Amino acid sequence: MRLVIASRKSDLARLQSLQVGQALQKKHPDLRIEYHWRESLGDKNLSDPLWKMPDKGVFTEDFVNGLLTGEFDLVVHSWKDLPVESRQGTSVVATLPREDVR
């Protein structure tokens, strides 16, 4: 079985995605994981301050569209940038235990 995991290109996002992939492979050793790293609007637009950008989805909207079209099976994202309102067609299905913040 193959699973496509998407996340932002940042070091933190890549690390979190790899942790999710490792946790899934621990439970399902035959699982093949393909990672897709992408830039979000918040990553691409470095000239405008965040407060001038859209209220929601600056770091997530591109990924939501990939989920809805089936391009990705799941997206790994930090809670700090994730809008908390639920969205039709997507759900938060898991959270890894929090690491030491230091």
Side-chain angles (χ1 to χ4, degrees), residues 34-65:
E34 190 176 306
Y35 296 94
H36 287 221
W37 317 117
R38 288 232 171 130
E39 289 182 318
S40 65
L41 172 64
D43 297 315
K44 293 175 193 171
N45 183 348
L46 300 177
S47 58
D48 291 334
L50 283 175
W51 61 270
K52 283 190 173 182
M53 292 186 190
D55 287 345
K56 299 174 188 159
V58 173
F59 294 105
T60 59
E61 193 63 29
D62 301 323
F63 295 101
V64 168
N65 293 332

Side-chain angles (χ1 to χ4, degrees), residues 24-36:
L24 289 168
Q25 284 182 314
K26 192 173 186 178
K27 295 283 186 183
H28 306 280
D30 294 333
L31 185 63
R32 274 185 329 140
I33 297 179
E34 190 176 306
Y35 296 94
H36 287 221

Side-chain angles (χ1 to χ4, degrees), residues 9-99:
K9 286 184 173 182
S10 72
D11 291 342
L12 175 61
R14 286 177 187 239
L15 179 62
Q16 290 171 332
S17 295
L18 293 170
Q19 288 174 327
V20 168
Q22 289 169 354
L24 289 168
Q25 284 182 314
K26 192 173 186 178
K27 295 283 186 183
H28 306 280
D30 294 333
L31 185 63
R32 274 185 329 140
I33 297 179
E34 190 176 306
Y35 296 94
H36 287 221
W37 317 117
R38 288 232 171 130
E39 289 182 318
S40 65
L41 172 64
D43 297 315
K44 293 175 193 171
N45 183 348
L46 300 177
S47 58
D48 291 334
L50 283 175
W51 61 270
K52 283 190 173 182
M53 292 186 190
D55 287 345
K56 299 174 188 159
V58 173
F59 294 105
T60 59
E61 193 63 29
D62 301 323
F63 295 101
V64 168
N65 293 332
L67 280 173
L68 295 175
T69 63
E71 184 179 0
F72 316 129
D73 297 308
L74 66 94
V75 174
V76 174
H77 202 78
S78 292
W79 274 109
K80 66 182 179 60
D81 297 322
L82 191 65
V84 293
E85 297 85 16
S86 61
R87 255 190 108 116
Q88 188 169 354
T90 67
S91 351
V92 175
V93 297
T95 299
L96 289 177
R98 186 170 183 166
E99 294 289 333

